[in-house]
Amino acid sequence: MFEIDPAFLATSHALGDLELCHARLQDDARYPWIVLIPRVEGARELEDLSREQLAVLMDETLLAGRMVRAVGTAVEKLNVGALGNVTPQLHVHVVGRRAGDPAWPGPVWGHSPAQPYGAEDLARAMERLAPLLA
Amino acid sequence: MFEIDPAFLATSHALGDLELCHARLQDDARYPWIVLIPRVEGARELEDLSREQLAVLMDETLLAGRMVRAVGTAVEKLNVGALGNVTPQLHVHVVGRRAGDPAWPGPVWGHSPAQPYGAEDLARAMERLAPLLA
């Protein structure tokens, strides 16, 4: 049975289930940042998905890019990464980056502690994301 | 006309052209590391590729994973990333990671200066990759 690794629950907010992936908003107000978790039991690497699932993952990665642009102002570059060194359950990060953001031009992963959303900013982000999740 | 950003030439060795991507071996003997550069003029983001091109990119990303495992011993986790904050031409990194490698468990990008291959190690890597590029 597919279960989301609890590590994601502590660091992000649920957005909902897409065709393949469970989508979450990373709880770091410094970057617009979506995490996609394919709902495939035991998957750790991209090679654990079928070609059909990989095609859907690509569609959902592009959608996550649009979500990131909807949440964040001034996204200059998308960063897409499937790492999993800390949490091996397969997941894809889609992060909106801009020159001068805290980790720029390095990667965000492992850079510095998250700055969680305040209640108002979180509500605004969720409002902006809703049309893309419909 | 498609041209490879010269930044890649200084940091990696050409492996050859796949159906979509030009493939290179990152010149860092500490990690087995393949860079795929879709031969699509002006592409900076995944969304700049067609769905057909994205499907081929996925196939070639899986192939790069097999290449990484062929070059490196003891690959425990693949890291796949499309960042481009420094070199915006669209490219995908596929890196073989293991617990205790220099950047573990953080990302390799921007971690520390590369340790270029010696001539013998490079020849051995190329020999191991050849069957996968045929």
Side-chain angles (χ1 to χ4, degrees):
Chain A
M1 200 187 79
F2 172 76
E3 281 184 30
I4 294 167
D5 190 306
F8 294 111
L9 307 181
T11 55
S12 57
H13 300 281
L15 294 173
D17 284 350
L18 308 173
E19 182 184 336
L20 177 70
C21 295
H22 174 67
R24 303 185 68 85
L25 177 68
Q26 186 80 2
D27 195 14
D28 191 337
R30 302 174 300 168
Y31 314 97
W33 182 341
I34 303 289
V35 180
L36 300 173
I37 308 166
R39 300 195 310 281
V40 176
E41 189 183 345
R44 290 170 42 104
E45 302 282 4
L46 293 172
E47 65 204 13
D48 297 332
L49 302 186
S50 69
R51 295 191 76 209
E52 292 68 27
Q53 288 170 331
L54 286 170
V56 179
L57 180 61
M58 278 293 93
D59 287 343
E60 296 182 354
T61 299
L62 297 193
L63 172 62
R66 295 193 292 276
M67 292 164 69
V68 155
R69 293 186 201 280
V71 172
T73 51
V75 170
E76 294 169 16
K77 188 73 193 70
L78 296 175
N79 283 185
V80 177
L83 288 85
N85 304 336
V86 177
T87 306
Q89 182 173 61
L90 180 61
H91 61 284
V92 176
H93 299 275
V94 181
V95 190
R97 305 297 308 274
R98 59 189 184 286
D101 72 27
W104 186 267
V108 294
W109 307 290
H111 177 265
S112 50
Q115 291 179 10
Y117 282 91
E120 263 185 47
D121 286 344
L122 181 62
R124 189 179 307 119
M126 290 296 189
E127 200 175 313
R128 288 175 176 172
L129 289 170
L132 288 159
L133 288 158
Chain B
M1 201 187 78
F2 172 76
E3 281 184 30
I4 294 166
D5 189 305
F8 295 110
L9 307 180
T11 54
S12 57
H13 300 282
L15 293 173
D17 284 349
L18 307 173
E19 182 184 335
L20 177 69
C21 295
H22 174 67
R24 303 186 67 85
L25 176 68
Q26 185 81 0
D27 194 15
D28 191 336
R30 301 174 300 168
Y31 314 97
W33 182 341
I34 302 289
V35 180
L36 299 174
I37 308 166
R39 299 195 311 281
V40 176
E41 189 182 346
R44 288 170 44 102
E45 301 282 4
L46 293 172
E47 65 205 12
D48 297 332
L49 302 187
S50 69
R51 294 191 76 207
E52 291 69 26
Q53 288 170 331
L54 285 170
V56 179
L57 180 62
M58 279 293 93
D59 287 343
E60 296 182 355
T61 299
L62 297 193
L63 172 62
R66 295 192 293 276
M67 292 164 69
V68 154
R69 293 186 201 280
V71 171
T73 52
V75 169
E76 295 169 14
K77 187 73 194 70
L78 296 175
N79 283 185
V80 176
L83 289 86
N85 304 336
V86 177
T87 306
Q89 182 173 61
L90 180 61
H91 60 286
V92 176
H93 298 274
V94 182
V95 190
R97 305 298 305 276
R98 61 189 184 285
D101 73 26
W104 186 267
V108 295
W109 307 289
H111 177 266
S112 50
Q115 290 179 13
Y117 282 90
E120 263 185 47
D121 286 344
L122 181 61
R124 189 178 307 118
M126 291 296 188
E127 200 176 313
R128 289 175 176 173
L129 289 170
L132 287 159
L133 288 158

